[in-house]
Amino acid sequence: MSRPELIKDVVNSIAEYVPGKSIEEIAKKYGINPKEIIKLGSNENVLGPSPKAVEALVSTASKVNIYPSADACELVEALSVYTGLPTGNICASGPGMDGLLDNLMRVLIEPGDEVVIPTPTFSYYEIAARANGANAIHVAPEEGLEFDVAAIKEVITDRTKVVFLCSPNNPTGMLTSEEDVCYLLESTNGLVFVDEAYVEFADSNLSKLLLEYDNLIIGRTFSKAFGLAGLRLGYGLMPEWLKSQYMKIATPFNVSFPAVMAGVAALSDSEYLGKSISMTVEGRKFLSDNIPFKVYESQANFILVDVSPLIARDVSESLMKKGIIVRDCRSFKNAGESLIRVTVGTREQNEKVVSAFEEATAGSNLI
Ligand SMILES: *Cc1c(COP(=O)(O)O)cnc(C)c1O
């Protein structure tokens, strides 16, 4: 039995979020030993978590009978040191940055408000905004998949509440320049949300703009460079006027005590972070230089491969049959049929990825 009439119309009309494939799914589908599968479809950290974060989780386990501090103050203070911003501009969030997005949409969106989403990009902006009553206005990319800043400005209206910019963008790996972000901040009466989920792997970040603009929000996460995806921990950098309103509406105690303390420990583990970044930068170059297809230049912990004239579905399936999970990007709006996103792995994993792409070319009619 199905009762769609009991569900909000907009929720009935939203397409399901498509996550990367899991190890269990691929093991079962292709009869592969799960231990031999390499998971490079969800941009997780292949180094495992920071040992300091694991220690913090173990030592907080015996204290979970107590609610955490309401504003995750231990973590907010550590983040203030890490970002160089006052604690009044920082909100810890759970589950992950996705929780920040959902809470923000509940604070900001009135039915009929518009949000602007340049594509191809992370799909949860649309889900969170539309579920809260917004109309999503999508903007197609330029020829080389860069965000089309002029076209974004063109669709901004009096009803625009939020412009979403993912930088480095998922799935392209491209950074939006500071100049373009400022231009858009100045082009709207609404807010600009910059998703910096991958910023630790990039050459620059935008946190200093926070003190110059009162309509900028930056979303960050512990899921990627810090290796804590399973804990679901993120944070937002925002103007003080917004933080006070946000805190009224955010789900109470939305960061668990183990997550707060693991986050503090992860921030203190500069050795782990340094290793995670240097492995990624090196691996990114190795993959770009050796995969026999066009690879977009990336500032993130993944690369985007254009397998045309082959199609992403066939090539990603041939990789998955070999136990390498990658992301076929067809579910991303305006990404076309030929893009595959691959998380940067260890040297050994990257070598297997390159061989698998070479075999995919050999198996086709291409010479
Ligand atoms: C992974 C990812 C997130 C989600 O972060 P969580 O903290 O795990 O919720 C947000 N934005 C982008 C672009 C991502 O790739």
Side-chain angles (χ1 to χ4, degrees):
M1 264 271 279
S2 167
R3 302 281 301 275
E5 75 281 6
L6 296 182
I7 301 296
K8 292 201 282 189
D9 282 347
V10 60
V11 175
N12 276 318
S13 77
I14 287 174
E16 250 169 69
Y17 178 77
V18 184
K21 301 250 183 292
S22 69
I23 290 183
E24 295 69 32
E25 207 178 334
I26 293 302
K28 206 166 144 203
K29 189 163 173 195
Y30 298 112
I32 307 173
N33 178 350
K35 290 204 180 74
E36 280 161 22
I37 291 179
I38 306 176
K39 190 168 188 286
L40 302 175
S42 301
N43 303 337
E44 291 141 332
N45 199 316
V46 295
L47 292 177
S50 136
K52 287 194 180 175
V54 174
E55 249 170 64
L57 287 172
V58 172
S59 70
T60 48
S62 61
K63 296 173 192 152
V64 293
N65 58 314
I66 308 292
Y67 278 114
S69 59
D71 57 355
C73 55
E74 302 90 337
L75 180 57
V76 168
E77 271 158 35
L79 283 167
S80 171
V81 176
Y82 176 71
T83 59
L85 290 167
T87 55
N89 295 106
I90 304 170
C91 296
S93 75
M97 188 205 304
D98 298 336
L100 175 81
L101 283 163
D102 191 49
N103 281 320
L104 273 172
M105 294 303 100
R106 291 194 300 118
V107 173
L108 298 171
I109 300 297
E110 309 259 23
D113 281 351
E114 290 172 1
V115 299
V116 175
I117 306 178
T119 59
T121 199
F122 188 58
S123 65
Y124 191 65
Y125 314 134
E126 176 182 357
I127 296 174
R130 287 187 57 205
N132 285 288
N135 296 325
I137 314 293
H138 293 99
V139 180
E142 293 185 334
E143 194 96 356
L145 291 184
E146 295 93 351
F147 288 155
D148 186 340
V149 176
I152 296 171
K153 174 168 173 156
E154 196 86 346
V155 299
I156 290 174
T157 70
D158 291 344
R159 299 237 60 178
T160 303
K161 196 51 96 48
V162 184
V163 176
F164 287 99
L165 294 174
C166 188
S167 179
N169 186 27
N170 176 2
T172 65
M174 293 173 200
L175 221 48
T176 303
S177 72
E178 183 173 324
E179 191 188 346
D180 285 344
V181 174
C182 292
Y183 175 72
L184 291 171
L185 280 160
E186 287 161 22
S187 299
T188 178
N189 295 322
L191 290 144
V192 175
F193 182 97
V194 181
D195 180 336
E196 291 194 336
Y198 298 97
V199 83
E200 289 83 4
F201 304 111
D203 296 335
S204 61
N205 72 72
L206 296 172
S207 59
K208 76 168 188 350
L209 290 185
L210 224 92
L211 301 175
E212 291 169 41
Y213 289 90
D214 66 358
N215 63 338
L216 170 65
I217 309 168
I218 294 175
R220 298 263 184 93
T221 180
F222 283 86
S223 298
K224 310 283 161 54
F226 291 103
L228 297 176
L231 268 188
R232 313 300 301 114
L233 180 61
Y235 61 100
L237 307 174
M238 62 185 82
E240 254 186 79
W241 65 264
L242 179 56
K243 175 175 175 174
S244 55
Q245 303 290 346
Y246 175 93
M247 293 306 288
K248 292 197 286 193
I249 295 302
T251 40
F253 308 112
N254 66 67
V255 183
S256 73
F257 185 56
V260 168
M261 298 316 288
V264 171
L267 288 171
S268 77
D269 195 349
S270 48
E271 193 188 325
Y272 173 90
L273 183 64
K275 199 168 142 196
S276 157
I277 294 169
S278 59
M279 181 201 72
T280 301
V281 171
E282 223 169 276
R284 210 157 66 183
K285 181 164 184 338
F286 175 79
L287 291 170
S288 311
D289 289 348
N290 290 286
I291 289 177
F293 291 104
K294 173 185 164 83
V295 176
Y296 287 85
E297 200 166 313
S298 170
Q299 291 268 301
N301 70 340
F302 56 83
I303 49 147
L304 186 68
V305 185
D306 184 345
V307 298
S308 57
L310 303 183
I311 56 172
R313 189 196 56 216
D314 295 346
V315 177
S316 58
E317 198 171 292
S318 81
L319 266 73
M320 297 215 228
K321 277 188 188 150
K322 299 188 176 90
I324 303 173
I325 304 181
V326 293
R327 182 72 191 254
D328 170 356
C329 293
R330 280 178 306 153
S331 68
F332 288 83
K333 264 194 186 67
N334 289 328
E337 299 283 325
S338 66
L339 299 175
I340 297 178
R341 195 191 66 197
V342 188
T343 309
V344 176
T346 60
R347 178 72 192 213
E348 193 192 340
Q349 291 172 334
N350 295 338
E351 282 169 3
K352 289 187 179 158
V353 167
V354 168
S355 307
F357 271 105
E358 283 168 353
E359 285 158 26
T361 354
S364 77
N365 295 328
L366 290 173
I367 299 164

